[in-house]
Amino acid sequence: MYNEIDLDRIDINAKPPIEEPDRQYYYMAKCREWVRKFEWENGRKPTAFTQTFGCQMNARDSEKLAGILKSIGYCQAKDEEADFVIYNTCTVRENANNKVWGRLGYLNAYKKRHPHMKIALCGCMMQEAEVVEKIKKSYPFVDLVFGTHNIYKFAELFADSLAQERILVDIWKDTDKIVEELPVERKYGFKSGVNIMFGCNNFCSYCIVPYVRGRERSRKPEDIIAEIKGLAADGVVEIMLLGQNVNSYGKNLKEPITFAELLKRIQDIEGIERIRFMTSHPKDLSGELVEAMGKSKKICRHLHLPLQSGSSRILKAMNRHYDKEQYLSLVEKIRKAVPDIALTTDIIVGFPGETEEDFLETMDVVEQVGYESAFTFIYSKRTGTPAASMEDQVPEDVVKDRFDRLLKRVQAIAAIKAEKRTGSIEPVLVEEVNEQDKTLVTGRLSSNFVVHFPGTEEMIGKIVNVELKECKGFYFYGEAAK
Ligand code: SAH
Ligand code: SF4
Ligand code: F3S
């Protein structure tokens, strides 16, 4: 666990240490000297703004960047009008990239008026060689570019980039390294993501994640437990265990351990009330995990179980290693063990070669399972993935039509599922004061549904019993139960 290290006690004129994390503390101390000089010259602290694109994994990485920025003396800015702007990028679908290119155009104009400002780009998109080439050629005003594998080196890279005029680019192809004990600045006081593994070995044929996040690496259970104990001591009540395929956690450790076993150990940590995890690959979901979920008081009644497609033929082409029947029987097993569970999913429409019949198989699974919620995506061709070079890419208008039909059904079913919960009294973890109506607070059920109910700021981070009075499709209005 990160202990507040006194950076002032580090000799920044000595040689940098070789070992991590000491080396990074040394560079944090160096950057802090630079920040002090900035303060002295400008009469104020410098500000930094981090924008996260993509998944919870990236959100957690951004908290690590924020932790380092705070240690070196930056204040957080609320938008891009800052001395230092960092985009932590995503490349899972084409539109994720487009957002970044669009915002870089805007940043260019801002930097022209504020030439002292620094810009850093990191995250998954930077792991693509074409992206880095394009930045070097067309966006030379960027100061620093790094990737997903060397994010722990942020302080060192920043120190190096301060010492040079040109753009500094440092991208690693892969790593087997996991650096522990660096500072983290959490977005929420009461809940936190916790990485349990990095990377992915599954190579689903449409997906770029294994190429940009590298091979699967699990953190040691002792390190995870120590981090969670520290979080609990710091007021965290809900944790979300993060990995691209949490069900294969621990398989490659020197002393292998299953995900279910890890969950059991985490449950014993005092102060942690709720445990969530993301994402579960259906091919690796074990009976042991289903049983652990059924018995647990702390594991949330929510399982995100990506389907991707309901057609066994397409699932095979996607390299998912399960078919329609296996998926449905898994759902049946889970529902039996955990009757009140909320199931959510991811679905891709328009994978190469998808016919109307294949699509109807997906619709059929959606009907049979009855998801509480589903994220639906239009297939996006990712350079370098096997699916990108498959024949029979589905025409755009056909995909759009299927997507609309799917979304309509998904939403209608979700509304029916939510409506069934109306009238019940359920524990809600209060997350924030409602933005639109300050007399309300907003929180989540164990099943991950959102609830708004009359309350005050003091309730944030507390678990309150709430009667669900009115269902609004995918969220509720409620009242604290007497
Ligand atoms: N590891 C997780 C998913 C990570 S990506 C898992 O296996 O479930 C999140 C979701 O993005 C995926 O579940 C998939 O539905 C979607 N996705 C990934 N690549 C995509 C692509 N090329 N086009 C459209 N959607 C994609
Ligand atoms: Fe992508 Fe498949 Fe890995 Fe998920 S399991 S990140 S969809 S390759
Ligand atoms: Fe995007 Fe990288 Fe996550 S590609 S979805 S941010 S792992």
Side-chain angles (χ1 to χ4, degrees), residues 157-203:
L157 294 168
F158 186 45
D160 289 348
S161 88
L162 289 172
Q164 74 175 50
E165 282 286 312
R166 286 175 306 112
I167 178 167
L168 177 76
V169 177
D170 190 19
I171 307 287
W172 299 358
K173 276 215 153 60
D174 203 350
T175 183
D176 51 9
K177 220 175 175 142
I178 299 178
V179 178
E180 301 282 348
E181 297 182 32
L182 285 170
V184 178
E185 176 70 3
R186 293 198 312 276
K187 190 168 171 199
Y188 300 96
F190 57 89
K191 69 170 181 178
S192 180
V194 175
N195 297 106
I196 62 166
M197 59 205 299
F198 302 94
C200 180
N201 284 354
N202 291 306
F203 291 95

Side-chain angles (χ1 to χ4, degrees), residues 37-53:
K37 192 162 151 266
F38 179 102
E39 275 184 75
W40 193 75
E41 286 169 1
N42 296 276
R44 63 173 179 88
K45 279 181 183 289
T47 56
F49 175 69
T50 311
Q51 176 70 47
T52 312
F53 301 86

Side-chain angles (χ1 to χ4, degrees), residues 25-39:
Y25 290 127
Y26 167 90
Y27 281 106
M28 280 182 231
K30 259 201 144 155
C31 292
R32 203 162 71 169
E33 263 315 291
W34 184 87
V35 165
R36 282 191 177 139
K37 192 162 151 266
F38 179 102
E39 275 184 75

Side-chain angles (χ1 to χ4, degrees), residues 52-59 61 88-93 96-97 123-125 148 207-210 212-213 244:
T52 312
F53 301 86
C55 65
Q56 265 125 342
M57 212 76 72
N58 255 19
D61 282 347
N88 189 6
T89 63
C90 168
T91 186
V92 75
R93 286 169 290 275
N97 295 45
C124 297
M125 199 175 148
T148 54
C207 184
I208 200 166
V209 170
V212 296
R213 284 273 172 181
Q244 293 300 351

Side-chain angles (χ1 to χ4, degrees), residues 409-451:
R409 262 328 271 160
V410 156
Q411 286 177 341
I413 293 169
I416 297 168
K417 298 293 283 191
E419 183 61 48
K420 283 195 181 143
R421 292 175 189 250
T422 314
S424 62
I425 295 176
E426 294 196 44
V428 171
L429 172 60
V430 181
E431 301 203 333
E432 59 199 3
V433 173
N434 190 294
E435 291 252 332
Q436 275 88 43
D437 181 345
K438 302 276 179 217
T439 66
L440 300 178
V441 288
T442 299
R444 277 177 198 274
L445 304 182
S446 172
S447 53
N448 214 30
F449 276 106
V450 169
V451 189

